[in-house]
Amino acid sequence: MVRLFGGEMSVDIFVFLALNRAPDFDAWQKAMRASRPEMHFVAPVNLAKHSGFLPLVVDGKTTGFFFFRNDAKELASDYPMVATAGLSGGVAYQLSFGGDAHECIAAMRSAEVLVKNFGGVAFDPQSGKVMTTKDLDGNAELCRTSLRP
């Protein structure tokens, strides 16, 4: 499980996608609205060129995460588990967030949509493990729990 909070740390989740399965913004937004109606992206971006904060609305609150598009082969040199798991082909979307619970929910749920709808494989570089949709859901719920008084 991803260590979510504790100081000024940041958490990265990589979602590896085959080039022919990597969604453009409109496809990701459509899949998001269908499977997570409580969420939507604020404004369209070109995912092939975008690098930086990607705002979303989750449960009526504007939040988001940092989005970067990476070459999967380059990541394999930094994370040997990527090559071992056969994830070094295609592209990797990097979803990063700090200690904010809303950002965590946005990133985990967005990664979950990529895995479920586009055949992505989520990888937690902090632990070196592949994450299932159950792991992503559990982490999002852990973040949501931290918001309750």
Side-chain angles (χ1 to χ4, degrees), residues 47-75:
L47 295 178
K49 295 179 181 179
H50 183 79
S51 181
F53 196 74
L54 188 56
L56 285 94
V57 172
V58 180
D59 295 326
K61 178 171 178 47
T62 301
T63 185
F65 52 84
F66 288 89
F67 174 87
F68 307 95
R69 182 182 166 112
N70 297 284
D71 182 279
K73 287 180 186 165
E74 290 178 17
L75 289 176

Side-chain angles (χ1 to χ4, degrees), residues 121-136:
V121 176
F123 175 71
D124 169 15
Q126 290 81 206
S127 69
K129 298 187 188 290
V130 169
M131 298 178 73
T132 65
T133 54
K134 185 176 178 180
D135 295 331
L136 294 164

